[in-house]
Amino acid sequence: MDIRKLDDRLDASPQIALADLKVLAGLGYRSVISNRPDHEEPGQPDAEEVRAAAEAEGLAFRHIPVAGGNMGPEVVAAMRSALDEMPGRVLGFCRSGTRTTFLWALANAGERPAQDLIEAAAVAGYDLSPLRARLESGPI
């Protein structure tokens, strides 16, 4: 797994395998968020498969799919709610980790300075420059 820390609450990762959920539980994660739509790529486990495997390991699960770059207010609010409500350390994943990182940043817009979000994402290897204006305009 390629796990990248975004902040003290959330790490981002590219697509995980079902077997990774046992490893994540062993590493102390308590929750998993999937930002990947079902059937985006052949062979990817669908959300219900991930949910079942996560719950079998005692992990909370949320599916907040993002397709076609649609990161409107309702999706951002769902991510914010998940981060506020889910227990413990959270791993968010999508195909590359970028959608998870974008949603994390948008969910934190207005609460943290845009530059801090951009720098934290850069340390993790993600480029938030396409979101700079949205992040600087405050809460979504």
Side-chain angles (χ1 to χ4, degrees):
M1 281 180 292
D2 178 13
I3 298 173
R4 302 176 189 192
K5 181 177 180 171
L6 296 176
D7 64 17
D8 291 336
R9 182 99 171 102
L10 179 71
D11 295 337
S13 172
Q15 176 70 52
I16 60 172
L18 296 178
D20 292 335
L21 293 157
K22 182 178 187 89
V23 175
L24 291 170
L27 291 172
Y29 287 89
R30 305 237 355 252
S31 301
V32 175
I33 300 171
S34 169
N35 296 123
R36 196 155 191 211
D38 286 341
H39 314 294
E40 185 176 50
E41 189 172 274
Q44 126 196 12
D46 67 34
E48 286 310 310
E49 290 174 300
V50 178
R51 177 187 307 282
E55 290 175 354
E57 297 300 332
L59 300 167
F61 178 80
R62 294 263 178 104
H63 187 217
I64 307 169
V66 175
N70 177 21
M71 292 187 199
E74 67 288 341
V75 176
V76 174
M79 186 69 163
R80 179 74 261 154
S81 292
L83 293 173
D84 288 344
E85 297 165 5
M86 296 181 87
R89 190 95 186 120
V90 181
L91 179 85
F93 74 90
C94 56
R95 187 168 162 284
S96 68
T98 300
R99 283 173 278 191
T100 296
T101 303
F102 277 30
L103 279 177
W104 161 81
L106 292 168
N108 283 287
E111 293 180 25
R112 292 179 58 184
Q115 189 59 36
D116 289 357
L117 295 168
I118 291 166
E119 289 172 7
V123 168
Y126 296 105
D127 178 13
L128 292 181
S129 60
L131 295 181
R132 181 178 289 278
R134 281 182 76 182
L135 295 173
E136 290 175 344
S137 69
I140 303 303

